[in-house]
Structures are given as C-alpha cells and as structure tokens.
Amino acid sequence: MAPLSADDVRRLAEEASASGLYCAEAVLTALAKAQGLESELIPKMATAFCGGMSRTCGPCGALTGAIMGLGLSLGRSSAEQTADAAYSATRELVRAFEAEFGARNCDQLLGCDIGTPEGQAVFRDRQLHRRCARYTSRAAEIAATLLAKDGT
C-alpha cells in the first residue's frame, strides 16, 4: 500500500467524523489507518479525549487525537527508547494548531463550555459542530504532514 498523503488523511478524518465518530476518535482513526493499523480499540482509546477531555474545557479532542496518532508512529515501545521524536512532533503540532486557530483548549476554541447545558445550547444554536469539523480535518492533516516529514 502506498503511503497516504496529508490530504488523504484529512479526507479519512472527515469521513470518520461524518460517520459519527467524534473529534479525537476520527483523527486517531484516520492517522492509524494511514499507518496500516485498524482495530475497534482505536476509536475506543480516544473517546474520553473528545469534547475537550470529556467536556472539561481541556485540550481540543482533535488535537489530542492527533497527538495519539503521532504516538502510534513516533512513540516508545520500551523504557530504553527515547521519546524525543514524539515530543518534538507534538510540540510542532501544538504550535501549528495554535497558530492557525488561536487556542488549544475546547472552551476557548468554541467560545462556550460544552460541559454545561447552557454551553451545549450555544454549541447547537451556533452550529459549532462546523468548527469542530474544521479542527478535526486540520489536526489530522497537520499530524500527517509531520509524520511524512519524519519519514514514517
């Protein structure tokens, strides 16, 4: 199988999101698929990261899904290995995401706290799912670009 382009990974994330997967699930699933990994465990491990870490105003789920996707390729599999590649790529990802969107936390990106009924109403009324779709596709694309740069 030929390596997938960043554009292909973005499309995979968009398709996963359109199928009903949430931000972190969609990004991690797309990045895993690009690396030849498919398992029902992939979206499961990302679920609690969706909605800004389970609607706690934490980091954007798309961003955390992308970080996990980087870890699939660049992460350590033993204590003797270095984490430098994963840390470096993650810092680049976070910098690029923040430069493009102005923040990294869910509540700041959306302008509401989706952990509250009021915030969920704002999310629905302002159709903020469209923003989340943009964060999802771009986080996957940025991460895929970083993996391609790293040669993985």
Side-chain angles (χ1 to χ4, degrees):
M1 177 172 121
L4 298 178
S5 71
D7 196 47
D8 292 331
V9 175
R10 178 187 49 76
R11 276 195 293 278
L12 285 172
E14 290 169 350
E15 290 168 9
S17 182
S19 79
L21 290 182
Y22 294 149
C23 49
E25 298 165 339
V27 174
L28 180 58
T29 298
L31 287 164
K33 188 176 272 189
Q35 296 174 57
L37 302 170
E38 291 191 56
S39 168
E40 68 181 25
L41 297 176
I42 300 285
K44 284 183 172 195
M45 69 176 53
T47 298
F49 291 92
C50 298
M53 297 187 120
S54 299
R55 299 180 177 162
T56 64
C57 298
C60 172
L63 183 59
T64 56
I67 292 168
M68 287 187 279
L70 291 175
L72 287 174
S73 178
L74 304 174
R76 301 179 334 145
S77 55
S78 72
E80 293 78 32
Q81 294 176 314
T82 179
D84 291 348
Y87 287 3
S88 177
T90 296
R91 284 191 302 269
E92 283 190 62
L93 169 69
V94 171
R95 274 194 296 269
F97 190 89
E98 284 184 316
E100 185 165 339
F101 298 116
R104 71 172 84 170
N105 286 344
C106 185
D107 59 324
Q108 293 170 322
L109 291 163
L110 296 177
C112 65
D113 176 356
I114 59 173
T116 66
E118 300 80 18
Q120 289 177 23
V122 169
F123 185 88
R124 280 189 307 277
D125 294 345
R126 294 186 187 163
Q127 298 184 2
L128 295 176
H129 67 279
R130 292 179 182 160
R131 260 192 228 176
C132 292
R134 195 169 76 241
Y135 303 143
T136 297
S137 64
R138 281 297 291 146
E141 187 174 30
I142 294 165
T145 299
L146 291 168
L147 287 171
K149 183 174 119 181
D150 193 66
T152 54

